[in-house]
Amino acid sequence: MKIALNVTTALGLALAAGATFAPDANAQQVLKIAHILPAGDPRDLGARKLEELIEADDTCDLDVQVYPSGQLGMFNDINEGVQFGSIEMSVMPASYIVGTEPLFGVFDLPFFWPADADKLNELQHGPAMEKLGATMANHNMVLLDVWRTGYKQWTANRPLKALPDYDGLVARVMPSPVLAEQQKALGLTPVTMPFPETYSALQSGAIDAQENPNPTSWNMKFHEVQSHLTMTNHGTLDQVILVNKPFWDGLSDECRTAIEAAMPSANELTFSETMKQEDEAMADFAKAGLTVVELTEEERNALRDAILPTVRQFYVETNGEEGEAIVGAFEAEMED
């Protein structure tokens, strides 16, 4: 209290004397990168790679600071921080952007995206994604990149190979209306909850199932409280890299170039580490006695045909002509 009082008093005296205060023009700009995953997660390693490469670039003087594990808040806090400028950059699943920009729900369409990782990467850096990314300017943000972090699988205490297997189960869902519609189409009851609470909810039986890439399920130790992993490859959980627009626009050309040049290496590292952890996860699942269920092509196609048209229609009806244009643009690129 005494220090605060003295500072306040000094400030008042200075103002009374006609002093002016201005930011130090020579102060180094700070680029804070926030995410909620623990240190060492592939997404964290990608952020660290950005830090390394940007700070090594002699043309750009930025102090890059990575904040993992929700140190700057959870998803909503980080998203609002980037939107309003208290955080410069974020790494987060596209599903958490839907509350800000509903068109990003296209990321959550089930059985929609290419199963080949290279084709997916090409699609995520093509004209349709550029069109989608441009909508973030309406929210004071810029989409810089999309990082691949694996295909989603289901865990439960029974195999989930066909539509009747899902009927009546309660499943955790991220706050995306498209994902909620997907779960309803499967016959699930979707429940939104903070991700850190998912383990205890599965353990207690409050929920029955959850969907995530295997490295995420492994890092969260869901194999300790679930008996079956069904390899559906039904969706992606890819990360969008967003930056505050005024911050981005205020950077020098050299710094924007340095950040853009660092993105491909960070993207590739994130993906390679994800694949490495996929192998480690599957080995640990086997040791833990988790039953891994593989789908035949016919079984996977049957699930796709049962739910994709319904969920696609929901996305278009929710987003109107813009939604139809976005999903149509991605479909056109996939057909080429």
PDB file of all heavy atoms in Angstrom, residues 110-124:
ATOM      1  N   PRO A 110     -17.659 -33.809 -39.875  1.00  0.00           N
ATOM      2  CA  PRO A 110     -17.129 -35.172 -39.722  1.00  0.00           C
ATOM      3  C   PRO A 110     -16.974 -35.891 -41.061  1.00  0.00           C
ATOM      4  O   PRO A 110     -17.775 -35.686 -41.983  1.00  0.00           O
ATOM      5  CB  PRO A 110     -18.201 -35.856 -38.868  1.00  0.00           C
ATOM      6  CG  PRO A 110     -19.477 -35.154 -39.256  1.00  0.00           C
ATOM      7  CD  PRO A 110     -19.091 -33.721 -39.530  1.00  0.00           C
ATOM      8  N   PHE A 111     -15.933 -36.714 -41.154  1.00  0.00           N
ATOM      9  CA  PHE A 111     -15.674 -37.508 -42.361  1.00  0.00           C
ATOM     10  C   PHE A 111     -15.627 -36.609 -43.608  1.00  0.00           C
ATOM     11  O   PHE A 111     -16.075 -36.987 -44.684  1.00  0.00           O
ATOM     12  CB  PHE A 111     -16.740 -38.597 -42.537  1.00  0.00           C
ATOM     13  CG  PHE A 111     -16.802 -39.566 -41.396  1.00  0.00           C
ATOM     14  CD1 PHE A 111     -17.817 -39.494 -40.449  1.00  0.00           C
ATOM     15  CD2 PHE A 111     -15.841 -40.549 -41.248  1.00  0.00           C
ATOM     16  CE1 PHE A 111     -17.878 -40.383 -39.389  1.00  0.00           C
ATOM     17  CE2 PHE A 111     -15.886 -41.456 -40.191  1.00  0.00           C
ATOM     18  CZ  PHE A 111     -16.908 -41.362 -39.258  1.00  0.00           C
ATOM     19  N   PHE A 112     -15.079 -35.414 -43.444  1.00  0.00           N
ATOM     20  CA  PHE A 112     -15.071 -34.417 -44.521  1.00  0.00           C
ATOM     21  C   PHE A 112     -13.672 -34.190 -45.090  1.00  0.00           C
ATOM     22  O   PHE A 112     -13.499 -34.052 -46.300  1.00  0.00           O
ATOM     23  CB  PHE A 112     -15.636 -33.100 -43.969  1.00  0.00           C
ATOM     24  CG  PHE A 112     -15.659 -31.956 -44.942  1.00  0.00           C
ATOM     25  CD1 PHE A 112     -16.617 -31.896 -45.945  1.00  0.00           C
ATOM     26  CD2 PHE A 112     -14.721 -30.925 -44.855  1.00  0.00           C
ATOM     27  CE1 PHE A 112     -16.648 -30.837 -46.844  1.00  0.00           C
ATOM     28  CE2 PHE A 112     -14.738 -29.863 -45.742  1.00  0.00           C
ATOM     29  CZ  PHE A 112     -15.709 -29.813 -46.749  1.00  0.00           C
ATOM     30  N   TRP A 113     -12.675 -34.173 -44.221  1.00  0.00           N
ATOM     31  CA  TRP A 113     -11.340 -33.751 -44.614  1.00  0.00           C
ATOM     32  C   TRP A 113     -10.524 -34.915 -45.188  1.00  0.00           C
ATOM     33  O   TRP A 113     -10.773 -36.075 -44.869  1.00  0.00           O
ATOM     34  CB  TRP A 113     -10.617 -33.137 -43.419  1.00  0.00           C
ATOM     35  CG  TRP A 113     -11.341 -31.936 -42.906  1.00  0.00           C
ATOM     36  CD1 TRP A 113     -12.244 -31.891 -41.882  1.00  0.00           C
ATOM     37  CD2 TRP A 113     -11.280 -30.608 -43.436  1.00  0.00           C
ATOM     38  NE1 TRP A 113     -12.731 -30.620 -41.731  1.00  0.00           N
ATOM     39  CE2 TRP A 113     -12.162 -29.808 -42.660  1.00  0.00           C
ATOM     40  CE3 TRP A 113     -10.552 -30.018 -44.478  1.00  0.00           C
ATOM     41  CZ2 TRP A 113     -12.329 -28.447 -42.909  1.00  0.00           C
ATOM     42  CZ3 TRP A 113     -10.721 -28.667 -44.711  1.00  0.00           C
ATOM     43  CH2 TRP A 113     -11.603 -27.890 -43.942  1.00  0.00           C
ATOM     44  N   PRO A 114      -9.537 -34.621 -46.044  1.00  0.00           N
ATOM     45  CA  PRO A 114      -8.727 -35.698 -46.636  1.00  0.00           C
ATOM     46  C   PRO A 114      -8.042 -36.548 -45.570  1.00  0.00           C
ATOM     47  O   PRO A 114      -7.545 -36.018 -44.571  1.00  0.00           O
ATOM     48  CB  PRO A 114      -7.689 -34.939 -47.481  1.00  0.00           C
ATOM     49  CG  PRO A 114      -8.279 -33.591 -47.722  1.00  0.00           C
ATOM     50  CD  PRO A 114      -9.124 -33.288 -46.526  1.00  0.00           C
ATOM     51  N   ALA A 115      -8.028 -37.856 -45.796  1.00  0.00           N
ATOM     52  CA  ALA A 115      -7.360 -38.754 -44.858  1.00  0.00           C
ATOM     53  C   ALA A 115      -5.843 -38.715 -45.032  1.00  0.00           C
ATOM     54  O   ALA A 115      -5.103 -39.122 -44.132  1.00  0.00           O
ATOM     55  CB  ALA A 115      -7.865 -40.183 -45.052  1.00  0.00           C
ATOM     56  N   ASP A 116      -5.378 -38.228 -46.176  1.00  0.00           N
ATOM     57  CA  ASP A 116      -3.947 -38.101 -46.439  1.00  0.00           C
ATOM     58  C   ASP A 116      -3.440 -36.781 -45.849  1.00  0.00           C
ATOM     59  O   ASP A 116      -3.965 -35.710 -46.170  1.00  0.00           O
ATOM     60  CB  ASP A 116      -3.686 -38.140 -47.945  1.00  0.00           C
ATOM     61  CG  ASP A 116      -2.207 -38.025 -48.275  1.00  0.00           C
ATOM     62  OD1 ASP A 116      -1.521 -39.058 -48.262  1.00  0.00           O
ATOM     63  OD2 ASP A 116      -1.744 -36.888 -48.524  1.00  0.00           O
ATOM     64  N   ALA A 117      -2.417 -36.859 -44.989  1.00  0.00           N
ATOM     65  CA  ALA A 117      -1.940 -35.674 -44.266  1.00  0.00           C
ATOM     66  C   ALA A 117      -1.370 -34.615 -45.205  1.00  0.00           C
ATOM     67  O   ALA A 117      -1.526 -33.411 -44.964  1.00  0.00           O
ATOM     68  CB  ALA A 117      -0.898 -36.083 -43.233  1.00  0.00           C
ATOM     69  N   ASP A 118      -0.709 -35.037 -46.277  1.00  0.00           N
ATOM     70  CA  ASP A 118      -0.141 -34.066 -47.213  1.00  0.00           C
ATOM     71  C   ASP A 118      -1.242 -33.325 -47.975  1.00  0.00           C
ATOM     72  O   ASP A 118      -1.159 -32.105 -48.190  1.00  0.00           O
ATOM     73  CB  ASP A 118       0.797 -34.756 -48.196  1.00  0.00           C
ATOM     74  CG  ASP A 118       2.071 -35.260 -47.530  1.00  0.00           C
ATOM     75  OD1 ASP A 118       2.478 -34.660 -46.504  1.00  0.00           O
ATOM     76  OD2 ASP A 118       2.658 -36.248 -48.013  1.00  0.00           O
ATOM     77  N   LYS A 119      -2.283 -34.047 -48.364  1.00  0.00           N
ATOM     78  CA  LYS A 119      -3.407 -33.403 -49.048  1.00  0.00           C
ATOM     79  C   LYS A 119      -4.126 -32.438 -48.104  1.00  0.00           C
ATOM     80  O   LYS A 119      -4.577 -31.366 -48.515  1.00  0.00           O
ATOM     81  CB  LYS A 119      -4.374 -34.456 -49.576  1.00  0.00           C
ATOM     82  CG  LYS A 119      -3.817 -35.278 -50.737  1.00  0.00           C
ATOM     83  CD  LYS A 119      -4.825 -36.307 -51.227  1.00  0.00           C
ATOM     84  CE  LYS A 119      -4.257 -37.116 -52.395  1.00  0.00           C
ATOM     85  NZ  LYS A 119      -5.209 -38.169 -52.843  1.00  0.00           N
ATOM     86  N   LEU A 120      -4.224 -32.845 -46.841  1.00  0.00           N
ATOM     87  CA  LEU A 120      -4.851 -31.972 -45.855  1.00  0.00           C
ATOM     88  C   LEU A 120      -4.039 -30.692 -45.702  1.00  0.00           C
ATOM     89  O   LEU A 120      -4.597 -29.589 -45.664  1.00  0.00           O
ATOM     90  CB  LEU A 120      -4.969 -32.695 -44.510  1.00  0.00           C
ATOM     91  CG  LEU A 120      -5.533 -31.872 -43.351  1.00  0.00           C
ATOM     92  CD1 LEU A 120      -6.958 -31.414 -43.641  1.00  0.00           C
ATOM     93  CD2 LEU A 120      -5.488 -32.686 -42.054  1.00  0.00           C
ATOM     94  N   ASN A 121      -2.726 -30.824 -45.621  1.00  0.00           N
ATOM     95  CA  ASN A 121      -1.865 -29.657 -45.486  1.00  0.00           C
ATOM     96  C   ASN A 121      -2.019 -28.716 -46.682  1.00  0.00           C
ATOM     97  O   ASN A 121      -2.089 -27.490 -46.522  1.00  0.00           O
ATOM     98  CB  ASN A 121      -0.407 -30.097 -45.344  1.00  0.00           C
ATOM     99  CG  ASN A 121       0.515 -28.942 -45.008  1.00  0.00           C
ATOM    100  OD1 ASN A 121       0.249 -28.140 -44.115  1.00  0.00           O
ATOM    101  ND2 ASN A 121       1.609 -28.844 -45.736  1.00  0.00           N
ATOM    102  N   GLU A 122      -2.090 -29.283 -47.872  1.00  0.00           N
ATOM    103  CA  GLU A 122      -2.269 -28.471 -49.075  1.00  0.00           C
ATOM    104  C   GLU A 122      -3.606 -27.733 -49.038  1.00  0.00           C
ATOM    105  O   GLU A 122      -3.692 -26.547 -49.381  1.00  0.00           O
ATOM    106  CB  GLU A 122      -2.196 -29.372 -50.313  1.00  0.00           C
ATOM    107  CG  GLU A 122      -2.308 -28.626 -51.628  1.00  0.00           C
ATOM    108  CD  GLU A 122      -2.197 -29.547 -52.831  1.00  0.00           C
ATOM    109  OE1 GLU A 122      -1.823 -30.738 -52.659  1.00  0.00           O
ATOM    110  OE2 GLU A 122      -2.487 -29.088 -53.959  1.00  0.00           O
ATOM    111  N   LEU A 123      -4.645 -28.433 -48.601  1.00  0.00           N
ATOM    112  CA  LEU A 123      -5.973 -27.822 -48.527  1.00  0.00           C
ATOM    113  C   LEU A 123      -5.992 -26.689 -47.497  1.00  0.00           C
ATOM    114  O   LEU A 123      -6.638 -25.651 -47.701  1.00  0.00           O
ATOM    115  CB  LEU A 123      -7.003 -28.892 -48.165  1.00  0.00           C
ATOM    116  CG  LEU A 123      -8.474 -28.516 -48.287  1.00  0.00           C
ATOM    117  CD1 LEU A 123      -8.858 -28.243 -49.733  1.00  0.00           C
ATOM    118  CD2 LEU A 123      -9.358 -29.621 -47.724  1.00  0.00           C
ATOM    119  N   GLN A 124      -5.275 -26.879 -46.402  1.00  0.00           N
ATOM    120  CA  GLN A 124      -5.264 -25.876 -45.343  1.00  0.00           C
ATOM    121  C   GLN A 124      -4.436 -24.646 -45.688  1.00  0.00           C
ATOM    122  O   GLN A 124      -4.415 -23.671 -44.926  1.00  0.00           O
ATOM    123  CB  GLN A 124      -4.761 -26.511 -44.041  1.00  0.00           C
ATOM    124  CG  GLN A 124      -5.765 -27.489 -43.447  1.00  0.00           C
ATOM    125  CD  GLN A 124      -5.247 -28.192 -42.220  1.00  0.00           C
ATOM    126  OE1 GLN A 124      -4.032 -28.212 -41.970  1.00  0.00           O
ATOM    127  NE2 GLN A 124      -6.118 -28.779 -41.434  1.00  0.00           N
TER     128      GLN A 124
END
